[in-house]
């Protein structure tokens, strides 16, 4: 009896212990499961946050790369990197501005195409220059005069004078002036640049009709033909052909330097003389860079202008016959007036010192320097071609 009581007591103890262990197990599992779920949730949130952060970094990197790429393509002029793009004024023009008026009704419309007439002038040729400028209406053309004799005030008699731009430097050529005052960014608003000498007759020339033909023919570099009955003609290609509107080549069957229909090089084709060239905006930008700063007569430049014709020089360079001029070939450069003081006649009490002026003709020296400059230009061209391994001669 006693033994049975002990067995039952032991069995109860075992059951209770088992129950407690099972209870502890299930309670522990429930607690651990809750903890695990909470940790798992935290891990998932953290992982999502990491993914989101990575995605944001990727988006930011892409935006930065895109911004960087865009900024690289802004092509800001050198020296303007510190400025915002919208404030940078890359170009200018020769249009004057009123000192105090805001609404100047005389100013041209911003949509109207303008061209530029630039001439090197001396007061002795003022009548010829006046006739030329009168052919170029101010609504379509700006006028810039380069005074090589220092005389500016004596031009005030002409109505157009106050609207012209005057630059005065003694004894300089038009190419010296052009290199310093006709930078492509300064004249970028002008469709065409007329860079003319002063000794020209324009009785049969109309600039509007001339430009109409130039555009129709696709000429980037051109000149009006010369009236052979009145002009000093140095190169046959510039001579007017009466039955043509435009010609691009010349024919020469005698002497040296023959030209025929198979010729492809200047001066047989793709060539204009330097006394009255007309440049398109694009061709002038190229030509200006080819003008050498120290070679002020620009001899030799004419043979290479075809490289600036924005394509095939055989098509884009030509002489306009329908609108022609006269080249008088007057001696101007190198003729300098000097003042000399005569001595008073001591035996005549009424006599006074007098100042006389006389002309000194330096034209032979000018011509000699022109030949020297042409030789130097040719040497520089050959050296540039030899040194630039990336440049390919299209001709």
């Amino acid at each position: 009896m006693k033994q049975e009581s002990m067995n039952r007591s032991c069995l109860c103890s075992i059951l209770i212990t088992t129950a407690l262990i099972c209870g502890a197990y299930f309670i522990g599992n429930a607690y651990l499961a809750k903890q695990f779920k909470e940790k798992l949730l935290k891990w998932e949130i953290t992982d999502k946050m990491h993914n989101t952060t990575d995605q944001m970094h990727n988006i930011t990197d892409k935006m930065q790369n895109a911004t960087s790429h865009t900024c690289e393509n802004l092509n800001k002029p050198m020296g303007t990197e510190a400025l915002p793009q919208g404030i940078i004024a890359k170009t200018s023009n020769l249009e004057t501005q009123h000192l105090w008026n805001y609404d100047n009704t005389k100013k041209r419309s911003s949509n109207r195409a303008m061209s530029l007439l630039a001439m090197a002038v001396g007061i002795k040729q003022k009548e010829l220059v006046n006739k030329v400028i009168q052919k170029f209406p101010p609504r379509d053309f700006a006028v810039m005069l380069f005074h090589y004799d220092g005389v500016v005030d004596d031009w005030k008699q002409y109505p157009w004078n106050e609207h012209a731009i005057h630059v005065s430097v003694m004894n300089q050529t038009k190419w010296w002036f052009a290199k310093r005052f006709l930078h492509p960014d300064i004249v970028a608003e002008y469709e065409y640049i007329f860079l003319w000498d002063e000794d020209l007759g324009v009785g049969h020339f109309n600039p509007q009709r001339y430009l109409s033909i130039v555009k129709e023919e696709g000429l980037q570099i051109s000149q009006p033909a010369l009236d052979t009955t009145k002009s000093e003609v140095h190169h046959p290609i510039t001579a007017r052909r009466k039955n043509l509107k435009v010609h691009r080549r010349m024919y020469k069957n005698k002497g040296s330097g023959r030209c025929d229909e198979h010729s492809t090089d200047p001066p047989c084709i793709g060539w204009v003389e330097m006394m009255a060239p007309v440049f398109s905006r694009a061709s002038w930008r190229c030509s200006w860079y080819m003008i050498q700063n120290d070679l002020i007569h620009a001899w030799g430049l004419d043979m290479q202008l075809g490289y600036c014709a924005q394509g095939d020089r055989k098509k884009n360079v030509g002489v306009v016959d329908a609108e022609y001029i006269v080249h008088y070939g007057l001696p101007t450069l190198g003729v300098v007036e000097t003042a000399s003081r005569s001595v008073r006649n001591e035996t005549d009490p009424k006599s006074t010192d007098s100042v006389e002026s006389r002309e000194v003709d330096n034209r032979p020296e000018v011509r000699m320097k022109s030949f020297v400059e042409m030789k130097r230009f040719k040497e520089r061209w050959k050296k540039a071609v030899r040194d630039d391994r990336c440049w390919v001669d299209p001709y």
Side-chain angles (χ1 to χ4, degrees), residues 1-24:
M1 189 72 178
K2 188 176 180 179
Q3 185 66 34
E4 288 181 3
S5 178
M6 289 178 65
N7 288 339
R8 286 179 180 176
S9 177
C10 183
L11 182 59
C12 288
S13 298
I14 293 171
L15 290 174
I16 291 170
T17 302
T18 303
L20 290 172
I21 292 172
C22 290

Side-chain angles (χ1 to χ4, degrees), residues 33-153:
K34 182 179 179 181
Q35 291 291 324
F36 180 75
K37 287 180 179 180
E38 289 179 355
K39 288 185 177 182
L40 185 61
L41 182 61
K42 289 180 181 180
W43 290 342
E44 289 178 354
I45 292 173
T46 302
D47 189 52
K48 288 181 179 179
M49 288 179 67
H50 285 161
N51 290 338
T52 303
T53 303
D54 291 340
Q55 290 176 358
M56 290 179 67
H57 282 308
N58 290 335
I59 293 171
T60 302
D61 290 341
K62 289 180 179 178
M63 290 178 66
Q64 288 177 345
N65 290 335
T67 302
S68 176
H69 184 68
T70 302
C71 293
E72 288 175 358
N73 293 332
L74 286 178
N75 292 326
K76 289 184 177 181
M78 184 179 297
T80 64
E81 294 81 6
L83 301 177
Q85 179 70 17
I87 203 64
I88 298 172
K90 296 181 180 180
T91 63
S92 183
N93 58 35
L94 301 175
E95 186 176 352
T96 58
Q97 299 294 328
H98 205 285
L99 278 177
W100 56 87
N101 249 346
Y102 289 101
D103 183 21
N104 192 343
T105 57
K106 293 183 179 180
K107 292 302 177 185
R108 66 180 175 88
S109 168
S110 59
N111 296 324
R112 189 177 186 86
M114 292 279 288
S115 293
L116 172 67
L117 169 65
M119 303 177 69
V121 301
I123 196 63
K124 288 185 177 181
Q125 315 304 336
K126 64 179 181 180
E127 295 301 330
L128 285 177
V129 174
N130 177 49
K131 290 178 181 178
V132 171
I133 295 177
Q134 286 183 331
K135 287 280 187 174
F136 289 77
R139 68 180 181 275
D140 296 319
F141 295 92
V143 174
M144 190 173 193
L145 299 183
F146 304 131
H147 300 275
Y148 60 77
D149 59 357
V151 180
V152 178
D153 289 345

